Amino acid sequence: MMAAAGRALVLLALATTVHAETAPSAPTGVEIRRTTDGIPHVRADNWRALGVGAGYVQAQDALCTLAEAFVTYEGRRAWFFGADGRPARNATFGRPKNIDLDFFFRAQADDAVLAQYREHNPPAFRELVEGYADGYNRYLADARQGRLDAADRACLKQAWVRDIDANDVYRRLYAAQIAAGYARFVTEIAIAKPSGAVAAAATANDGALRHLLALSIGDQPGLGSNMFAFGREATGGEAVLFGNPHWFWGGPDRFYQMHLTIPGQLDVAGATFLGVPLVMIGFNEHVAWSHTVSAARRFGLFDLKLDPADPTRYLLDEGSEAMTSREVSVDVRDSAGKAQRLTRTFYRTRYGPVLDLGAHNPAFGWGAAHAFAVRDVNADNFRIFPNYFQWNQARSLDEFIAIQRREAALPWVNTVAIGQGDGRVWYGDVGAVPNAPDALRKSCATPLAAGFAQVDDWTPVLDGSRRACDWQVDPAAAQPGAIAASSLPWLLREDYVANMNDSYWLSNARQPLTGYPKLLGGESEALMLRGRLGHHMALDLLQAKLPADAFSQRLMHDVLTPRSYSAELFKDEVLDQACVLPQVRLDAAAQKAAGLQKIVRPARKVDIAKACATLRRWGNKADGDDRGVLLWEALWARLDSIPEAQRYGKPFSADAPLDTPLHLRAGKGIAARALAASVAEFAARGWPLDAALGTQRYVNSGGRRLPVFGGCASAGYFAVACNEDEGSLMGPDSHANSYMQVVRFGASGVQAHTMLAHGLDEAAVAGGRGAAPVERYARKEWLRFPFREEEIARDPELTRIVLPAR
């Protein structure tokens, strides 16, 4: 309420505030209304004006985050923040050194890419982008000239905060476009030099490389989403959709919630990445959709056999071909503040840029005989945002599906969708995917490819010395080298579809999808615990046979119930194995093996009786006042590190994918020692064994300490709140439930409930203003989204301004 009141006072300096009942039917200029939790509803007469409003409100809520992001995409981080520094917040491209990010973006997001955006995007979308830049600049000018209460924006007077133009927005879009490809290898592309000039690892560090490649996006385990769509079989009529990205709570890829309207042309609400002027996950009057990160590979490697006489040439069929080279320069400051210009040469092949993985494993570096080139299917995919632009205006589920199939544009996500008056539900992993079928991988394998497969078997590594080994061209595909949409996995059903970041294979437990290339994510393989739980939740909801309204209410309750599925499945077995004796001996070796290197003491006996009692009392949930959950998570993390072949008595079976693997068998005292080690860890931290979750998992927002429910996906939580490397405090460096929506279409049109867990304001989860949505999330209180005009007019926290046209 304080934030809303403060904003209303500020707005008087900009324009006359108009009460809702006297508001005109159409805006003069750009109308910005804010409702409960500060959600912006932007209304305009044309696309450029709509972009102005979107840029203005995003800058109003996240100026410093956006300004730093535009510096990143321009390739000027080293100048402002130091060459060896790193971004303060995580993103889909991780947190490489500033100098490497600068060289990467200068080399990749170049003038040719900007020209492609202008060529391939429709005029209306280009107007939207140009308007967004203008709106951002208008807010910045208002803030700097003292017309706004922006005193708490610490960046406001910094040199790196500047006006932007459409090119800055296009570079931002490109960063999202290549997030599952080139952006996975920022450093490895930025440092690549011929003939092993880059220092190679002394020994192979395949674990780090395996970790890098195991993640579909970003560099944080568990980054992804949950989503359901339930059809008429579940509700007896209309469909219901649930979407829930587990995403960044801070940084440039954080979700931003907004509602965009051009009367008669567009009326869409939902969430988008900061810096993007349209809705990427959301709903309009006719359709609703959500995404999860796809398991499919969106890039591939090519094993180049180098010309012995020149490491910048590679053998190709009967001859050799020169790499193209390009010098890229970046300005930095030395220790005395004097400007210096650094230059690197980037090399490119017919497949894509050369990268050097030698820092992970010398065999995969740029040596005298071999080098790797990487090809990103999305590097040439400029259909992504035209796809969203059309979706924002789609008028039926059939039209939505047709757009997705025609464009085959989505860069790295699965999709579920529902439509008004339609009892069917749609799932598709339909987007840009390399056309590298299993037969091609087999016929084009090399010894180096076989070695790479020991680290990562999903990435296609093909023989770059043969033209025939390039990705295959299908005339029906939307772009050369991509799989045609007709050959990608999808479902259209009347019961349910779901995805929790497992592969497409089991997006409906009753109809597995099979027969697709391995690079799409694999089939007949074990689901993550979160995925198993999600499907059980979906099947339970199907059995409930509730009408749509009651079904939605039950769904909203279930998805916020923080069940620890690892505990539901295995806690009793673990305790039966571990709690045989009240004390367990931990010698120094056992302590070290248990991860207690920093607190190794001489061998002693650890009393586990209280720990056993605490865990038996705990109800296997992770709400703020639950006791035992923290102890279980520490114990489970140790048990989860046991190789899977040794961990379970009943291995995974494709015939029972939701119920296997099963029967944890730690054996030989491992469970007892793991529990004892967890008790010792708690003692070292000074934590009571029965500490309430909220004492350690919380967020500081609006001057209050708010307990946060849920946990990391690795422990089997559907409700995610994770800070794997940052300790207990949740904040901008966390990933967790972010933009959540439950949507259906009733007699009066779209009915949506939403939450934005981290809030709109960039300071909301860093102790600053904008805490209302964070507090709402902590209370598990869904917000009925005011979509229609009469709902907006009735909102108790409504404010309104008009930005004059110019």
Side-chain angles (χ1 to χ4, degrees):
M1 290 297 292
M2 289 296 294
R7 184 179 288 117
L9 291 173
V10 168
L11 299 181
L12 291 174
L14 293 172
T16 302
T17 301
V18 181
H19 293 295
E21 60 270 19
T22 64
S25 59
T28 303
V30 183
E31 181 184 45
I32 298 172
R33 292 169 291 179
R34 295 229 186 210
T35 54
T36 299
D37 291 351
I39 297 172
H41 305 255
V42 180
R43 197 163 181 253
D45 290 326
N46 58 70
W47 293 103
R48 183 182 176 87
L50 190 69
V52 169
Y56 196 94
V57 296
Q58 287 194 23
Q60 193 172 23
D61 288 321
L63 175 67
C64 299
T65 303
L66 280 165
E68 184 178 342
F70 291 131
V71 170
T72 301
Y73 309 137
E74 186 189 15
R76 298 196 70 201
R77 290 195 62 86
W79 178 257
F80 292 110
F81 306 118
D84 292 331
R86 298 176 186 269
R89 301 286 175 246
N90 221 316
T92 53
F93 51 76
R95 295 177 60 200
K97 286 185 178 180
N98 291 335
I99 190 65
D100 293 334
L101 275 166
D102 285 354
F103 275 114
F104 175 83
F105 277 109
R106 289 286 179 95
Q108 303 303 324
D110 57 9
D111 290 343
V113 163
L114 302 180
Q116 291 274 49
Y117 271 104
R118 289 187 167 82
E119 177 183 347
H120 289 92
N121 283 277
F125 182 74
R126 296 199 299 270
E127 292 173 13
L128 189 67
V129 167
E130 291 165 2
Y132 181 95
D134 184 28
Y136 176 95
N137 296 338
R138 288 175 72 168
Y139 172 78
L140 182 57
D142 286 340
R144 282 184 164 162
Q145 293 169 21
R147 294 196 293 266
L148 292 170
D149 179 16
D152 61 343
R153 301 301 181 197
C155 67
L156 190 58
K157 297 182 179 180
Q158 296 297 317
W160 49 269
V161 180
R162 58 166 177 82
D163 281 0
I164 65 170
D165 60 24
N167 288 340
D168 290 291
V169 182
Y170 289 135
R171 283 190 285 260
R172 191 280 167 268
L173 300 182
Y174 191 68
Q177 179 171 324
I178 60 171
Y182 288 163
R184 306 291 307 282
F185 305 104
V186 167
T187 300
E188 290 79 6
I189 291 174
I191 65 174
K193 296 180 182 179
S195 296
V198 175
T203 57
N205 185 9
D206 287 348
L209 183 57
R210 187 175 290 109
H211 172 81
L212 172 68
L213 294 167
L215 306 174
S216 297
I217 203 84
D219 62 1
Q220 295 173 289
L223 197 67
S225 312
N226 298 327
M227 62 184 182
F228 294 140
F230 294 92
R232 61 170 60 97
E233 182 181 320
T235 67
E238 65 193 74
V240 178
L241 177 137
F242 164 69
N244 171 210
H246 309 134
W247 207 242
F248 305 101
W249 270 20
D253 291 320
R254 180 169 66 87
F255 277 116
Y256 185 86
Q257 186 177 8
M258 60 186 184
H259 181 188
L260 304 176
T261 303
I262 299 176
Q265 295 187 65
L266 176 77
D267 197 6
V268 64
T272 190
F273 289 165
L274 285 173
V276 177
L278 43 65
V279 169
M280 298 175 70
I281 292 176
F283 52 92
N284 63 24
E285 298 169 281
H286 310 287
V287 295
W289 72 97
S290 194
H291 293 312
T292 62
V293 174
S294 166
R297 282 287 183 262
R298 309 294 170 146
F299 64 91
L301 300 178
F302 290 85
D303 177 9
L304 307 175
K305 298 175 183 177
L306 300 180
D307 188 327
D310 184 350
T312 66
R313 298 184 67 88
Y314 54 101
L315 303 181
L316 186 65
D317 292 332
E318 300 304 319
S320 72
E321 184 165 286
M323 301 175 186
T324 59
S325 64
R326 174 187 171 199
E327 286 192 346
V328 175
S329 297
V330 169
D331 292 330
V332 300
R333 290 186 177 99
D334 62 19
S335 58
K338 185 178 179 180
Q340 287 185 317
R341 174 157 290 189
L342 303 181
T343 301
R344 295 181 187 175
T345 302
F346 285 76
Y347 293 89
R348 192 174 187 88
T349 70
R350 65 172 46 236
Y351 309 109
V354 181
L355 80 168
D356 196 327
L357 298 170
H360 300 287
N361 187 322
F364 305 142
W366 189 345
H370 288 269
F372 274 145
V374 59
R375 183 174 179 184
D376 181 348
V377 72
N378 286 304
D380 300 315
N381 176 13
F382 294 93
R383 307 178 307 282
I384 299 167
F385 293 97
N387 183 110
Y388 282 113
F389 188 68
Q390 295 173 74
W391 271 357
N392 281 201
Q393 303 167 75
R395 301 185 65 82
S396 69
L397 180 60
D398 286 329
E399 182 182 348
F400 182 97
I401 294 169
I403 293 166
Q404 185 168 7
R405 285 174 162 165
R406 180 178 65 246
E407 301 293 341
L410 296 186
W412 36 266
V413 290
N414 303 285
T415 305
V416 298
I418 64 172
Q420 182 184 31
D422 198 324
R424 302 170 301 163
V425 291
W426 163 257
Y427 161 81
D429 193 353
V430 177
V433 184
N435 193 7
D438 296 346
L440 181 72
R441 295 179 65 175
K442 183 177 181 180
S443 65
C444 290
T446 67
L448 199 59
F452 197 88
Q454 300 302 308
V455 178
D456 176 66
D457 195 29
W458 305 104
T459 299
V461 181
L462 305 175
D463 187 349
S465 68
R466 291 187 284 157
R467 285 183 175 87
C469 290
D470 201 351
W471 296 348
Q472 295 180 346
V473 174
D474 185 339
Q479 70 183 75
I483 299 177
S486 59
S487 298
L488 291 168
W490 59 270
L491 288 169
L492 190 62
R493 294 184 59 89
E494 296 184 0
D495 53 354
Y496 87 101
V497 289
N499 189 270
M500 281 67 70
N501 302 123
D502 294 298
S503 85
Y504 60 88
W505 171 58
L506 213 66
S507 291
N508 178 287
R510 298 168 172 176
Q511 186 183 350
L513 293 164
T514 59
Y516 296 93
K518 186 175 181 64
L519 64 78
L520 275 166
E523 298 168 6
S524 300
E525 299 189 0
L527 277 64
M528 293 180 287
L529 285 176
R530 174 164 56 89
R532 288 171 63 179
L533 174 58
H535 280 286
H536 278 297
M537 291 167 60
L539 294 170
D540 287 346
L541 281 160
L542 277 175
Q543 295 301 314
K545 300 295 184 184
L546 297 170
D549 182 57
F551 187 96
S552 296
Q553 294 298 320
R554 164 80 180 272
L555 177 61
M556 285 188 280
H557 170 271
D558 287 2
V559 297
L560 296 183
T561 300
R563 296 167 59 181
S564 173
Y565 202 49
S566 59
E568 290 185 20
L569 291 176
F570 304 118
K571 186 185 75 173
D572 289 344
E573 292 179 342
V574 169
L575 296 182
D576 288 345
Q577 295 173 48
C579 300
V580 176
L581 298 173
Q583 292 185 326
V584 176
R585 184 176 182 274
L586 277 186
D587 58 21
Q591 291 181 66
K592 185 174 182 180
L596 300 174
Q597 294 93 329
K598 295 182 180 180
I599 56 171
V600 171
R601 300 176 183 173
R604 85 276 196 191
K605 289 187 175 182
V606 176
D607 191 331
I608 64 169
K610 183 176 179 181
C612 292
T614 297
L615 289 173
R616 291 197 189 279
R617 286 195 302 269
W618 171 51
N620 302 337
K621 292 184 175 62
D623 280 310
D625 56 356
D626 281 321
R627 299 177 181 274
V629 52
L630 291 168
L631 182 59
W632 171 257
E633 290 176 359
L635 172 57
W636 178 254
R638 292 180 165 90
L639 297 174
D640 197 37
S641 66
I642 301 170
E644 187 167 318
Q646 304 169 27
R647 195 187 317 158
Y648 299 110
K650 185 175 182 179
F652 170 75
S653 169
D655 294 328
L658 302 187
D659 300 308
T660 57
L662 205 59
H663 302 316
L664 196 73
R665 54 170 192 183
K668 297 182 179 179
I670 292 175
R673 287 195 296 273
L675 180 55
S678 301
V679 171
E681 177 190 347
F682 270 52
R685 291 175 178 267
W687 291 0
L689 293 176
D690 61 350
L693 177 68
T695 64
Q696 301 300 328
R697 189 162 300 146
Y698 59 90
V699 58
N700 287 327
S701 186
R704 296 180 59 197
R705 178 166 161 163
L706 304 172
V708 176
F709 58 91
C712 293
S714 57
Y717 289 105
F718 190 86
V720 171
C722 197
N723 219 358
E724 302 249 16
D725 302 321
E726 308 294 338
S728 301
L729 175 65
M730 300 288 292
D733 296 318
S734 306
H735 69 272
N737 295 344
S738 57
Y739 171 71
M740 307 180 72
Q741 61 177 20
V742 171
V743 186
R744 65 185 181 92
F745 296 94
S748 58
V750 62
Q751 297 182 34
H753 289 80
T754 69
M755 286 187 184
L756 190 66
H758 48 66
L760 287 160
D761 196 288
E762 62 191 349
V765 292
R769 65 182 179 180
V774 186
E775 294 173 353
R776 179 184 305 283
Y777 175 72
R779 296 192 304 267
K780 301 184 184 179
E781 181 184 308
W782 290 88
L783 176 68
R784 171 65 186 267
F785 188 87
F787 185 77
R788 289 178 288 280
E789 285 298 313
E790 60 271 22
E791 294 173 321
I792 296 171
R794 289 197 303 266
D795 191 279
E797 297 185 28
L798 176 64
T799 62
R800 177 181 180 269
I801 64 167
V802 174
L803 301 179
R806 69 180 191 186

